[in-house]
Amino acid sequence: MLSVKTVEWVPDTPGRLLPGRVRILDQTLLPDNIRFIETSDIEVVWRAIRTVQVRGAPAIGVAAAMGVAAAAQRLDAPSATALVSKVAELAGYLATARPTAVNLFWALDRMKRAAARHAACLPAEIKETLVREAIRIRDEDAAMCRAIGEHGVALLHDGDTILTHCNAGALATAEFGTALAPVYVAMERGWTIRVFADETRPLLQGARLTAWELGQAGADVTLICDNVAAQVMKESRIQAVLVGADRIAANGDTANKIGTYGVAVLAKAHGIPFYVLAPSSSFDFSMPTGATIPIEERGAEEVTSGFGKRIAPREVKVYSPAFDVTPADLIAAIVCEKGIAKPDYRLSLQRPAGGQALPAE
Amino acid sequence: MLSVKTVEWVPDTPGRLLPGRVRILDQTLLPDNIRFIETSDIEVVWRAIRTVQVRGAPAIGVAAAMGVAAAAQRLDAPSATALVSKVAELAGYLATARPTAVNLFWALDRMKRAAARHAACLPAEIKETLVREAIRIRDEDAAMCRAIGEHGVALLHDGDTILTHCNAGALATAEFGTALAPVYVAMERGWTIRVFADETRPLLQGARLTAWELGQAGADVTLICDNVAAQVMKESRIQAVLVGADRIAANGDTANKIGTYGVAVLAKAHGIPFYVLAPSSSFDFSMPTGATIPIEERGAEEVTSGFGKRIAPREVKVYSPAFDVTPADLIAAIVCEKGIAKPDYRLSLQRPAGGQALPAE
């Protein structure tokens, strides 16, 4: 398992929970440098979220919660009411860091409510509550990832080689990740699991993050260019494909990083099962299929000079969708923290096997 | 059409064929700089071939032939016999620049034989013969590419959008290219043809070369990351895929740049015809299928720091095959200068429709 923590709480004094700071692994410096931002300054946390030093919806949520908890300790509030109000200000400020990150708002909301619930307590008690709530958010995320891993490992066998795309690993969450969680669980069991990681152009999350975190964790990882995935499948090296998800429609259609759909088509053509692993919070039952998911386009610069060097003509047109939608019929199973869903997903997503029922929304 | 010439003969005096020099477009500086190497120095030509300033089998052959012709003029040979012998020395030297380039040896051999055939003439006549032979090699290549284009355009329709991988365009040949030849022929006819160009990791020939040459030629070209090919197919934007070939087995199995096989699988899944365009000299009838074509592996550095910047962990394992083999059953037609072959390729490659019979080897 990755020994470096994406986000964690660091007490100033060993053995005492607070005061303390949030420690964030600066992912913009990976893979060359392992540096941490350790702070109780809310502006530093804001910048870390804004500039993608911390990324991945769950990890952003944890960083924000711990950032609020750390900054709240420095507040010199005359009363509990004043403190609760200032905590709401801190949370409101952090919510502006990444305007579309649902997990961010959700985590900040939990922090505000935790403070408000203790408005009758002493300010010092509220401060401790905030730290405990932030750590709880982290622990819940870690437990969710582990549950995805425990369910997902049932789809693998000792000795398997899997292929993954982008980074849905420990670096995107508090621990373990989603797509990579079964790999980490398998490693704990002493299994031999090999991983091929697509580099994932244009932003190279596979090369910079997945290859790095698996290497750090002692996993057997091989980096490939995206266009090599078909060849390694043809060479019968791959027993399963594991990917994460940004959003999953009610019928199982799955939006994920651009390139995922192509990998799914290739897996199907080679008879390799293609699995999606994501928290049930990614399920969007209000969306009957993936057809209506809008495809966000990214700027040309990420493609034409994403490496600090121009690699294409200055005036060339570029088409760079940020993600694509994999139709449910290419997906062998969808794994969430509550169990494994298999087709027909319109039924099974509401009640994955191996776990409790999901609330229908 | 590309107004810049990949390789051409430049007389010192307008209107007189010689003396003159070979002018080579330095492709290592593309797309940022359009610079030419203009020389009669055989060592400069050797270096241009060695360091991939000129690339693509046909273009390398033309550059070598013109290099020999240019350098021969500076030779102060006491007799025709001495000159013929020195020409053989020049050719032998250039043959060491890229040890596995069959076209290079073939072109140099033609130059040696042209000199030897005129051993009874004056040295000045031999020098002129060499220039004419080099220009003939270039013109034959241009005619071959045009013939591929004329045959291939029959597979397209005005208004089509095609997808291509790597660079099998004008920059790889004397003119027109192979995979892109039908696009240039269609443009001459006033058709509207749009092109999506895969960037082609790791060496980015699609981004650096294909996007550049099509843009220079006034074509409508859009650059995509390799992992976007599936998405543009899904969006019904592509009517045909056109690629080149390094080698074609007797049954039609085709070795080409890594990533080609994946594109072929995706094209099949989307009902899009996948065409291979290559000179008949790429046919290897001694090889019954592509199964025995060895897959050359490239070094990790091209993947992990191919942009002058490290983009992956230092110690990561990398799998980087230089090419892959597309099985014949994914190929809708193979186009060469002699016509169009359709399945069953074991029969049709010997006698493509629309042209003369190929010699069975």
Side-chain angles (χ1 to χ4, degrees):
Chain A
M1 220 187 90
L2 186 62
S3 57
V4 171
K5 295 270 181 272
T6 309
V7 186
E8 70 182 323
W9 181 257
V10 188
D12 290 352
T13 314
R16 292 189 53 187
L17 195 59
L18 66 170
R21 285 150 294 155
V22 55
R23 181 153 81 171
I24 298 170
L25 175 65
D26 184 350
Q27 298 192 35
T28 60
L29 301 179
L30 294 177
D32 271 344
N33 295 291
I34 302 173
R35 296 265 175 78
F36 297 92
I37 299 146
E38 211 174 289
T39 189
S40 57
D41 182 338
I42 200 74
E43 291 185 18
V44 173
V45 177
W46 187 91
R47 203 158 51 237
I49 295 170
R50 171 71 122 203
T51 64
V52 202
Q53 290 172 311
V54 58
R55 52 161 283 287
I60 288 173
V62 174
M66 290 188 173
V68 168
Q73 293 164 79
R74 303 203 301 178
L75 294 175
D76 192 16
S79 70
T81 316
L83 180 59
V84 169
S85 158
K86 286 198 175 179
V87 164
E89 272 174 44
L90 291 173
Y93 170 63
L94 278 193
T96 65
R98 286 282 293 270
T100 55
V102 172
N103 251 60
L104 172 62
F105 309 144
W106 168 85
L108 291 169
D109 199 51
R110 270 186 64 166
M111 295 301 284
K112 282 192 288 185
R113 282 187 284 118
R117 270 200 313 274
H118 293 78
C121 302
L122 295 172
E125 289 171 326
I126 296 178
K127 290 177 181 180
E128 183 170 341
T129 293
L130 288 170
V131 173
R132 293 196 185 282
E133 185 72 6
I135 291 173
R136 192 173 300 123
I137 289 173
R138 183 220 161 276
D139 289 347
E140 287 172 11
D141 183 62
M144 184 204 65
C145 289
R146 171 170 286 278
I148 291 175
E150 299 281 356
H151 291 299
V153 79
L155 301 168
L156 303 182
H157 304 90
D158 190 4
D160 277 356
T161 298
I162 67 111
L163 183 140
T164 190
H165 189 75
C166 198
N167 178 259
L171 287 170
T173 62
E175 210 175 282
F176 262 49
T178 55
L180 297 185
V183 175
Y184 291 121
V185 170
M187 285 172 73
E188 283 185 346
R189 295 186 182 177
W191 290 12
T192 302
I193 300 283
R194 293 182 189 84
V195 180
F196 277 85
D198 284 354
E199 66 173 1
T200 318
R201 282 281 283 149
L203 295 181
L204 297 162
Q205 292 91 339
R208 294 187 298 110
L209 306 177
T210 301
W212 181 81
E213 75 163 75
L214 287 169
Q216 288 286 313
D220 183 333
V221 58
T222 302
L223 177 64
I224 57 174
C225 291
D226 298 316
N227 64 24
V228 181
Q231 180 63 22
V232 295
M233 290 182 186
K234 191 181 181 213
E235 293 171 7
S236 304
R237 298 185 188 221
I238 307 297
Q239 282 74 54
V241 175
L242 307 185
V243 299
D246 287 293
R247 180 142 54 156
I248 300 174
N251 73 337
D253 290 353
T254 295
N256 192 43
K257 181 68 65 221
I258 184 68
T260 304
Y261 166 63
V263 172
V265 172
L266 294 172
K268 180 92 163 188
H270 292 87
I272 299 165
F274 178 93
Y275 301 123
V276 171
L277 301 99
S280 58
S281 57
S282 316
F283 300 171
D284 184 349
F285 293 114
S286 74
M287 195 164 264
T289 75
T292 50
I293 299 179
I295 301 289
E296 174 202 353
E297 273 195 58
R298 307 280 302 174
E301 285 297 304
E302 289 177 355
V303 176
T304 57
S305 45
F307 305 95
K309 184 183 170 185
R310 174 156 286 272
I311 54 159
R314 201 161 295 276
E315 65 289 353
V316 72
K317 272 195 294 190
V318 172
Y319 177 52
S320 184
F323 58 87
D324 55 31
V325 176
T326 300
D329 62 4
L330 298 178
I331 301 170
I334 296 174
V335 182
C336 72
E337 74 282 8
K338 312 205 177 179
I340 299 176
K342 295 200 171 180
D344 178 340
Y345 295 113
R346 278 167 302 193
L347 305 173
S348 62
L349 280 188
Q350 316 258 355
R351 198 181 291 272
Q356 66 269 49
L358 295 179
E361 286 176 40
Chain B
M1 220 186 91
L2 186 61
S3 57
V4 170
K5 296 268 179 275
T6 309
V7 186
E8 69 183 323
W9 181 257
V10 187
D12 290 352
T13 314
R16 290 189 55 185
L17 195 60
L18 67 169
R21 285 150 294 156
V22 56
R23 181 153 81 171
I24 297 169
L25 174 65
D26 185 348
Q27 298 191 34
T28 59
L29 301 179
L30 294 178
D32 271 345
N33 295 290
I34 302 173
R35 296 265 175 79
F36 296 92
I37 300 145
E38 211 174 289
T39 190
S40 57
D41 183 337
I42 200 75
E43 291 185 17
V44 173
V45 177
W46 187 92
R47 202 158 53 237
I49 295 170
R50 172 71 122 203
T51 64
V52 203
Q53 291 172 309
V54 58
R55 53 162 282 286
I60 288 172
V62 174
M66 290 188 173
V68 167
Q73 293 165 78
R74 301 202 303 179
L75 294 176
D76 193 13
S79 70
T81 316
L83 181 59
V84 169
S85 158
K86 286 198 173 176
V87 165
E89 271 174 44
L90 291 175
Y93 171 62
L94 278 194
T96 64
R98 286 283 293 271
T100 54
V102 172
N103 252 59
L104 173 62
F105 309 145
W106 169 85
L108 292 169
D109 200 51
R110 269 185 66 165
M111 295 301 283
K112 281 193 287 185
R113 282 187 284 115
R117 270 200 312 276
H118 292 78
C121 303
L122 295 172
E125 290 171 326
I126 296 177
K127 289 177 181 179
E128 184 171 340
T129 293
L130 288 170
V131 173
R132 292 196 185 282
E133 185 72 6
I135 291 173
R136 191 172 300 123
I137 289 173
R138 183 217 161 277
D139 289 347
E140 286 172 11
D141 183 61
M144 184 204 66
C145 289
R146 172 170 285 277
I148 291 174
E150 299 281 356
H151 290 301
V153 79
L155 300 168
L156 303 182
H157 305 88
D158 190 4
D160 277 357
T161 298
I162 67 112
L163 183 140
T164 190
H165 189 74
C166 197
N167 178 259
L171 288 170
T173 62
E175 210 175 282
F176 262 48
T178 55
L180 297 186
V183 175
Y184 291 122
V185 170
M187 286 172 74
E188 283 185 345
R189 294 185 182 179
W191 290 12
T192 302
I193 299 284
R194 294 181 188 83
V195 180
F196 278 84
D198 285 354
E199 66 173 2
T200 318
R201 282 281 285 149
L203 295 182
L204 297 163
Q205 292 92 339
R208 294 188 298 109
L209 306 178
T210 300
W212 181 82
E213 75 163 76
L214 287 170
Q216 288 286 314
D220 184 332
V221 58
T222 302
L223 177 65
I224 57 174
C225 291
D226 297 317
N227 64 25
V228 181
Q231 180 63 22
V232 294
M233 290 182 186
K234 190 180 181 216
E235 292 171 7
S236 304
R237 298 187 189 220
I238 306 297
Q239 282 73 53
V241 176
L242 307 184
V243 300
D246 287 294
R247 182 144 50 158
I248 300 174
N251 73 337
D253 289 354
T254 295
N256 193 43
K257 180 70 63 215
I258 184 68
T260 304
Y261 166 63
V263 173
V265 173
L266 294 172
K268 179 92 163 190
H270 292 86
I272 298 165
F274 179 93
Y275 301 123
V276 171
L277 301 98
S280 59
S281 58
S282 315
F283 299 170
D284 186 349
F285 292 115
S286 74
M287 195 163 263
T289 75
T292 50
I293 299 179
I295 301 289
E296 175 201 352
E297 274 195 57
R298 307 281 300 175
E301 285 296 304
E302 289 178 352
V303 176
T304 57
S305 46
F307 305 93
K309 183 182 169 184
R310 174 156 285 274
I311 54 159
R314 203 162 293 276
E315 64 290 351
V316 72
K317 273 196 294 189
V318 172
Y319 177 53
S320 183
F323 58 87
D324 55 32
V325 176
T326 299
D329 62 4
L330 298 177
I331 301 170
I334 296 173
V335 182
C336 72
E337 74 281 8
K338 312 205 177 180
I340 300 175
K342 294 200 172 180
D344 179 338
Y345 295 112
R346 278 168 301 193
L347 304 172
S348 63
L349 280 188
Q350 315 259 355
R351 198 182 290 271
Q356 65 268 49
L358 295 177
E361 286 175 41

